[in-house]
Amino acid sequence: MKPIQQWLSEYGESHKNETNKLIHWICVPVIFFSITGLLYCIKLPFVIWGVQANVAMIVMVLAIVYYFSLSRTLWIGLFLFAAICLWLCYLIERAGFLPLWEVSVILFVLAWIGQFYGHKVEGKKPSFLKDIQFLLIGPAWLMSFIYAKAGIKI
């Protein structure tokens, strides 16, 4: 398995343009949330802490284990972000103004349009076309900047 720094460096190679970086700061979290929302809609036949269990909960645990295997610190920030995404899904579902799946699909489509526009501006293909694992590295790449600003070692 590649070390986290190698993943982040490789991801960063196709994310140098400032416009593309800005787009990624918006679109990567939105895509992460929208996928969480879609998986949240797939209910499981049991309850956890008073909440109907769903596929997103299981996938998040697996993603956090993956992040933990890459970094003994970075996973904490990603865990907090994942928890916020799950909590927002819960709130959207309870509010009932639009079904969570609709909100998720709309956000997913708009965010990917943004991502592909950013890569057009950058002049480089999205990293995940090289290796699908880069879909999980995008959020870690952004979190690494937050950690750097806070002086936290990855």
Side-chain angles (χ1 to χ4, degrees):
M1 182 183 290
K2 294 181 198 177
I4 186 66
Q5 288 300 347
Q6 186 177 350
W7 280 113
L8 297 176
S9 293
E10 285 183 40
Y11 190 85
E13 288 173 16
S14 60
H15 301 88
K16 296 184 185 291
N17 177 280
E18 290 304 316
T19 300
N20 190 28
K21 282 185 188 178
L22 176 61
I23 288 169
H24 275 64
W25 273 101
I26 297 164
C27 294
V28 167
V30 171
I31 290 168
F32 189 97
F33 170 78
S34 65
I35 292 170
T36 302
L38 290 169
L39 295 173
Y40 194 96
C41 293
I42 305 170
K43 303 302 181 189
L44 299 173
F46 53 93
V47 174
I48 300 174
W49 298 307
V51 176
Q52 180 72 47
N54 56 69
V55 173
M57 293 173 175
I58 293 168
V59 170
M60 288 303 163
V61 168
L62 295 173
I64 297 307
V65 168
Y66 173 74
Y67 289 133
F68 180 80
S69 74
L70 292 176
S71 169
R72 299 296 183 253
T73 56
L74 198 58
W75 75 273
I76 297 168
L78 292 159
F79 168 78
L80 293 173
F81 178 64
I84 290 168
C85 287
L86 289 169
W87 178 67
L88 288 172
C89 288
Y90 172 79
L91 293 177
I92 290 169
E93 194 172 71
R94 292 210 46 198
F97 60 91
L98 266 181
L100 177 59
W101 71 267
E102 277 187 52
V103 172
S104 298
V105 167
I106 291 166
L107 291 174
F108 184 85
V109 170
L110 291 175
W112 273 109
I113 290 169
Q115 289 284 83
F116 282 109
Y117 174 75
H119 279 286
K120 182 178 182 194
V121 170
E122 179 89 36
K124 294 186 180 173
K125 293 179 183 176
S127 300
F128 78 88
L129 295 176
K130 176 182 170 190
D131 187 332
I132 196 78
Q133 288 183 72
F134 279 114
L135 290 174
L136 285 170
I137 298 303
W141 183 70
L142 294 176
M143 191 64 68
S144 74
F145 288 102
I146 294 170
Y147 272 45
K149 278 267 192 208
I152 302 169
K153 196 171 184 176
I154 301 173

